Amino acid sequence: DVLSDITIDGNGKTIKAGALNQDNTSVLYLGSSSGAWCTGVKIKDLTIDVETARFGIFLCGGTSSVLTNVTVKGDYIYGINLYGTHGAEMTNCNIVSVFSNGQDDYPLNLNNTNIGTMILNSSEREEDAGKVKINEGSSVDKLYAYGENTKNVGTGIEKVKEIFDGE
C-alpha cells in the first residue's frame, strides 16, 4: 500500500499538547514499517509544540516529502523521523531534531532551515548511508551518524559543510 500526494496545510495554526507517552505516540504519523509507505507528503504552515512525545512527525518509507514553514519544538526522541528510504525538502523550517535515512535518490535538503540535532542513519553499503544537503541560510547544531558505517562527523555547521560540501 502507498499513501501518496497528501497535503497537510496548518494554515498558521499550532498543535499544542502536554506530555504524551514517549513510548508510542506521535503527533503526525503517516505510513507504516509493515508496508503502507508514504510518498509525496506536503506539510506546510504548521507548528507542533508538544511537551513530550515519541515523534512530532513520522513519515515512513516511500520517496520524498516537502515541508515548508514547519516548526517542531518540544522534547521528542526525534522531532521528525524520516524512516525507510525517506528524504525531504525542508524550507523555512525550525526543527528540534531529525532522524533521516535519506539516500542518494532521496536526500534531505535544507533550505533556510534550522535543525537542533540531526541523526543520519548509516548502512553497510556507502551508497545507502544517510545524505543531507545543507544549503545557504541553513544550520545544524549537532550532527551524528548512526549504524554500521558510523563515522565521527563532529558537530557544528563548519564541520558539517566540510564533510558534505559537494554531495
Side-chain angles (χ1 to χ4, degrees):
D1 293 335
V2 176
L3 306 170
S4 62
D5 301 318
I6 296 169
T7 298
I8 298 171
D9 184 349
N11 199 24
K13 303 291 187 209
T14 298
I15 297 173
K16 189 167 180 72
L20 303 173
N21 181 341
Q22 268 197 330
D23 290 336
N24 59 9
T25 58
S26 177
V27 179
L28 296 177
Y29 193 105
L30 299 168
S32 166
S33 58
S34 63
W37 304 110
C38 65
T39 187
V41 174
K42 296 174 185 71
I43 303 172
K44 64 181 184 175
D45 301 325
L46 179 66
T47 296
I48 296 175
D49 184 3
V50 176
E51 190 175 313
T52 60
R54 185 171 180 90
F55 309 121
I57 299 172
F58 179 87
L59 300 174
C60 188
T63 56
S64 193
S65 293
V66 176
L67 288 82
T68 307
N69 299 319
V70 173
T71 297
V72 178
K73 53 187 175 178
D75 182 20
Y76 304 93
I77 293 174
Y78 304 120
I80 296 179
N81 187 353
L82 301 169
Y83 185 80
T85 59
H86 218 95
E89 184 85 20
M90 294 185 183
T91 303
N92 298 324
C93 295
N94 289 293
I95 313 296
V96 65
S97 59
V98 173
F99 176 91
S100 178
N101 279 339
Q103 299 176 359
D104 283 337
D105 291 338
Y106 312 111
L108 179 58
N109 291 301
L110 306 180
N111 304 299
N112 197 35
T113 290
N114 302 303
I115 307 290
T117 301
M118 179 179 293
I119 300 94
L120 294 177
N121 197 20
S122 189
S123 171
E124 291 178 8
R125 300 179 332 152
E126 184 68 25
E127 64 271 18
D128 290 338
K131 305 287 187 207
V132 62
K133 295 180 182 177
I134 301 170
N135 297 309
E136 192 69 32
S138 296
S139 66
V140 175
D141 295 336
K142 295 178 185 175
L143 176 66
Y144 300 95
Y146 173 82
E148 301 268 338
N149 251 349
T150 300
K151 298 175 184 169
N152 182 6
V153 296
T155 61
I157 192 65
E158 292 310 312
K159 186 65 175 173
V160 170
K161 285 181 180 176
E162 172 187 323
I163 293 165
F164 293 101
D165 190 36
E167 286 286 317

